[in-house]
Amino acid sequence: MENEDRIVLPLNKTPSIRTSIHYAYPLAIIESKELGIIKIDNYYNWMWNEKTEDTSIHIDENTIKVLEEVSGGKPEAVLWRHCNREDEIVINIDYLKTRDPSRYVDVFLFADDLYTQINQEDKTCGVRWNPYGFFIEKNMYAYDTKIYKYLKLSIEADCFMAYASKDGIEWKYIDRKEIPSLYKAKTMRLGIHMNFGKDYYKIWRSMNFIQLIYNSDSIYKGIIVDYYFSPRKNYHNCYNYYNNYLDIHYDLLYDALDCFNSLHEYIRWNIRHLYYLEMCLDEFYVTEREQYNKSHYNHYNLFYGYDNKKRVYYIMGYGVGSIPVVSELPYDIINQYGITSEKIIRYRYNMNEVTGLKLNIDAIKTGLYELLNDVDSSEKVANLMTEEKVQYGLSIIKQLACDEVGKKFVCVDRRIAFLFTEHSRLMSERVDFLYENGYLSKDDYFMLDEKCADINKQTTLILRLVIRNALRKKEDNKIESYLMDYYEKEKDFLKLFLKCLDKG
């Protein structure tokens, strides 16, 4: 990747959460559909095997892009070709989405049934690339596979040799192994087995994406109502960024410039090493933003790619109506106007090697209880070093409807209405998920699903009223009434949800 003039990291351009940058940008990364990008010479000599499950394959010349088609499960891809007695294969594992530590790419020889080798943990005759290094059977060769992304297998009459490389030009010898005599008497084939690991994210979101918080003093840098994204593992309190399933690093602009010759070099180095950068820009100069060519407005944008020939960065930000948009930012804009904040955030999709995560129904019931009864969810899971004076729970909705300060907030800040529509939709997704996994009976599911549909309709009506209010339609009284209806509907739904789960 380091020699390429154009690199664009995977990104979901329509993330499920869009009200706040500290959720929309990480989710745009986490929810990206690209599981792997593998480059292989002479692709047209290869055949796909029906073992390829739950995936969608896109091919551009010799580049194989594997997309997730079905959430959950264990997507994997297998392809193979005929092998000569003297042969060679070179693959470049350009990108492999971090899902769990069990992901790997095997390059192997086989002469018996392909399924036998696919289902075998240690291939009889091959080499494995995984997050910890290269493996031949159970022997580990400790190369940093974040750097050594090229793998070569050279086959001779009696043995194969494995090599690793950073750039596909200079090769490091790994090891050799004799080909079993049984293979020599049969027709040999070459296989590539890509296993992308388990997807824990859906379970994690269902367990933790529940609580609401309200901050009337606006210590959240202008974000009044927010999700409580637990468990919190954040140490940078003034940002309130959370790093579940993401490695997050905080840099200061002057530190970056101490280590690199220019800001451009810093940005491109990070993208080459699979880091997404969040930096604050003056959106007066950024196309497709609401304040473009109107007023000077500083806001964070996500850098996820670059093109040296076009001299542009690919960035995601918020456009008209608080909807995430992607656009191209010319290099010259950065040169001329710079970054408007010294704080830089770097994301990398990584679950911190979380393993064995299982759905915890008690955690879900606790979260629902705490939302219903306004319990401070931070006491059990937060490790913030400063105390936050915020309110938690469902009564936030009633307070926004009845309190003059709250009413003012909700009538002018569309993000709050967006958040309620997202929150109700996520509850609907959670009900679906629990039913699919056997935690709800069919009758209970239909009752809860009907209530979710009614709540989704209610929150959508609130959003429409808030938008009309922004157009000076004076809908304040209707918004108050609709919020109170939403509060009562949500309260009844949560009580029923807990009752249904307690049956199990």
Side-chain angles (χ1 to χ4, degrees), residues 1 6-11 34 37 271 304-307 314:
M1 291 181 72
R6 183 180 186 272
I7 297 175
V8 181
L9 299 179
L11 194 76
E34 295 181 18
I37 301 172
I271 292 171
Y304 68 97
Y306 67 83
D307 189 319
Y314 298 98

Side-chain angles (χ1 to χ4, degrees), residues 1 70 102 127 190 205 215 228 238-239 247 257 318 340 344 346 368 383 416 429 432 444 462 473:
M1 291 181 72
V70 181
S102 67
V127 60
L190 266 170
R205 187 172 70 177
N215 173 27
Y228 187 86
C238 69
Y239 268 79
D247 282 341
L257 293 178
Y318 282 84
T340 57
I344 299 173
R346 295 192 295 147
L368 292 170
N383 63 354
I416 297 174
E429 287 182 14
D432 290 342
D444 288 344
I462 293 169
K473 298 297 182 180

Side-chain angles (χ1 to χ4, degrees), residues 219 232 235-238 240 382-389:
I219 57 171
R232 292 188 179 186
Y235 60 88
H236 197 295
N237 189 45
C238 69
N240 286 291
N383 63 354
L384 298 177
M385 292 180 285
T386 59
E387 187 178 1
E388 296 175 285
K389 298 294 185 182

Side-chain angles (χ1 to χ4, degrees), residues 57-211:
I57 309 297
H58 291 237
I59 295 126
D60 180 12
E61 294 183 348
N62 291 330
T63 299
I64 301 166
K65 188 177 290 186
V66 184
L67 307 182
E68 184 172 20
E69 206 168 52
V70 181
S71 60
K74 187 182 178 183
E76 53 190 322
V78 180
L79 66 164
W80 64 274
R81 70 166 170 82
H82 292 285
C83 176
N84 299 315
R85 289 299 171 182
E86 291 189 1
D87 212 328
E88 183 177 274
I89 172 177
V90 176
I91 66 170
N92 173 17
I93 303 157
D94 197 46
Y95 173 81
L96 200 66
K97 187 173 184 179
T98 305
R99 293 160 68 90
D100 70 23
S102 67
R103 65 201 182 280
Y104 58 80
V105 178
D106 280 338
V107 179
F108 61 98
L109 291 166
F110 66 100
D112 50 2
D113 179 53
L114 178 57
Y115 286 107
T116 302
Q117 290 298 318
I118 293 171
N119 296 322
Q120 193 164 307
E121 183 177 351
D122 300 310
K123 304 294 192 280
T124 300
C125 201
V127 60
R128 170 170 294 183
W129 178 104
N130 81 4
Y132 304 107
F134 292 95
F135 289 77
I136 297 177
E137 292 184 333
K138 295 192 180 297
N139 297 318
M140 177 179 175
Y141 305 84
Y143 288 88
D144 183 351
T145 50
K146 293 184 180 71
I147 300 173
Y148 286 88
K149 295 188 173 187
Y150 287 83
L151 172 61
K152 179 166 70 174
L153 207 65
S154 295
I155 300 101
E156 295 181 357
D158 298 321
C159 67
F160 72 83
M161 284 81 68
Y163 302 86
S165 174
K166 297 178 182 179
D167 54 14
I169 299 171
E170 295 184 8
W171 293 93
K172 299 280 189 181
Y173 173 72
I174 299 176
D175 209 342
R176 72 188 292 277
K177 183 179 178 181
E178 287 193 12
I179 298 171
S181 57
L182 178 66
Y183 277 38
K184 299 173 189 176
K186 296 183 178 182
T187 300
M188 286 198 306
R189 296 175 177 86
L190 266 170
I192 300 174
H193 181 197
M194 295 170 273
N195 187 310
F196 300 98
K198 298 177 182 177
D199 186 359
Y200 293 121
Y201 173 65
K202 192 171 183 181
I203 293 176
W204 164 75
R205 187 172 70 177
S206 294
M207 280 196 291
N208 298 309
F209 216 98
I210 295 174
Q211 184 61 283

Side-chain angles (χ1 to χ4, degrees), residues 419-454:
L419 184 141
F420 287 147
T421 60
E422 289 169 355
H423 184 72
S424 62
R425 179 178 49 76
L426 285 167
M427 280 295 185
S428 180
E429 287 182 14
R430 187 167 297 108
V431 169
D432 290 342
F433 178 79
L434 292 172
Y435 174 62
E436 290 165 5
N437 287 274
Y439 292 95
L440 292 170
S441 69
K442 184 180 288 188
D443 289 342
D444 288 344
Y445 168 70
F446 285 138
M447 281 193 301
L448 291 169
D449 187 57
E450 185 177 358
K451 285 188 175 293
C452 282
D454 189 33

